[in-house]
Amino acid sequence: MTEEVGTDGARDAVLAHRDADGVLTLTFNRPERRNGWADDMYEAYYGRLTEAAADETVRAVVVTGAGSTFCPGADISRLGGLGEEDARLPHYPVDVPRRFPKPLIAAINGACAGVGLVQALFCHVRFAADTARFSTAFARRGLVAEYGIAWTLTRLVGSERALDLLLSARTFDAGEARELGLVSRVVPRAEVLDAAHAYARDLALHCSPRAMAVIARQVLEAQDSTFDEALQASYRHVDRFIGSADLREGVASYLERRAPRFAPLGPFPD
């Protein structure tokens, strides 16, 4: 059973469907433009994510693209104005996807480049179709690394590999993306969305929303902390979970050999 969630007006740039297990699928929906990124897609996608973060019925989100591409970067037909001397790059609030408190899973079904790659790298886990192709693209369009991708990419693959991908803006395939650590799974194209859904559904049904939100924050913050800082943060978080309803339910469900019944995320954990 699936439920279509709000598809009026500009929001049609990103379709939303929620299933009975709490998995929300967001689909970049401009196949006639190969899902090229533009203001309407940004507004729809970031709006959908903001709503999903606050919606207690949503426990995990899968992001994919309509048609044969994921998002190959900016919509070229809308880039002309950026060549003018007084033009400015839109400053999107990237913390919306970067600090999203629920599992955010990319099902990369085709071309993924430029700002599309930026969005994919904000996801917690990435599945790629075996036919998918990737590129940073920026240098070949006369642009520099956008939206913090120099930081994100370096922490995923290391400085030299990040420089290779950014300086050359070369195209690479899903196999190399997995070897580099940009995606964790490569599956046949016809199976990529189902595989991402199955993974997201497992998290939605068996993992504590509150624990997952804190874990995602721990990993993000640990990238800029020392080990001792991460250790002290882990003590603080664990102290809050010891004796909690989530821990009691996790232990009880394991001992009783049943699926857990964790409460929704509710207000974001501090």
Side-chain angles (χ1 to χ4, degrees):
M1 175 181 177
T2 63
E3 178 185 355
E4 189 168 343
V5 183
T7 58
D8 57 290
R11 286 161 60 85
D12 286 349
V14 177
L15 300 181
H17 290 82
R18 182 176 57 242
D19 70 17
D21 295 320
V23 176
L24 179 71
T25 301
L26 299 180
T27 304
F28 298 139
N29 187 43
R30 288 290 183 261
E32 73 282 1
R33 303 301 310 167
R34 303 184 69 239
N35 300 326
W37 188 265
D39 286 347
D40 60 345
M41 187 171 288
Y42 145 67
E43 291 172 2
Y45 181 50
Y46 281 36
R48 299 282 196 191
L49 287 179
T50 299
E51 292 170 358
D55 186 345
E56 292 191 350
T57 68
V58 173
R59 296 207 171 207
V61 175
V62 173
V63 184
T64 193
S68 62
T69 64
F70 179 76
C71 176
D75 186 341
I76 295 297
S77 70
R78 305 185 186 187
L79 280 181
L82 292 182
E84 299 175 3
E85 289 188 7
D86 60 349
R88 293 291 183 271
L89 185 74
H91 289 193
Y92 302 130
V94 297
D95 273 357
V96 172
R98 185 170 174 261
R99 294 185 176 274
F100 190 68
K102 301 176 182 182
L104 185 57
I105 316 301
I108 303 169
N109 56 310
C112 178
V115 68
L117 180 59
V118 170
Q119 300 307 320
L121 296 185
F122 284 146
C123 294
H124 297 123
V125 178
R126 290 167 290 280
F127 287 68
D130 54 2
T131 56
R133 296 293 183 269
F134 301 80
S135 175
T136 60
F138 304 116
R140 298 196 181 213
R141 302 293 177 267
L143 289 169
V144 298
E146 295 178 350
Y147 300 115
I149 193 174
W151 186 96
T152 307
L153 197 57
T154 298
R155 281 156 178 77
L156 285 171
V157 305
S159 297
E160 183 175 350
R161 286 178 166 180
L163 281 166
D164 166 34
L165 298 180
L166 288 166
L167 292 174
S168 70
R170 62 183 177 83
T171 298
F172 54 100
D173 62 18
E176 184 175 0
R178 179 174 57 188
E179 179 184 342
L180 290 169
L182 293 184
V183 302
S184 57
R185 277 86 160 169
V186 176
V187 298
R189 185 184 185 284
E191 301 172 16
V192 66
L193 186 56
D194 286 344
H197 274 154
Y199 179 82
R201 191 170 295 112
D202 180 58
L203 301 186
L205 293 175
H206 299 110
C207 298
S208 157
R210 190 163 173 260
M212 289 191 292
V214 171
I215 288 169
R217 179 176 294 180
Q218 284 178 284
V219 171
L220 182 62
E221 293 178 349
Q223 292 177 343
D224 285 325
S225 71
T226 65
F227 173 79
D228 285 340
E229 289 169 339
L231 179 63
Q232 293 305 315
S234 73
Y235 288 148
R236 291 194 300 273
H237 289 303
V238 168
D239 285 346
R240 294 167 54 223
F241 277 78
I242 295 297
S244 71
D246 273 8
L247 181 59
R248 291 194 297 274
E249 175 58 17
V251 172
S253 62
Y254 175 78
L255 293 176
E256 297 168 13
R257 298 186 179 184
R258 60 170 174 80
R261 296 184 289 269
F262 292 117
L265 177 58
F268 299 170
D270 295 326

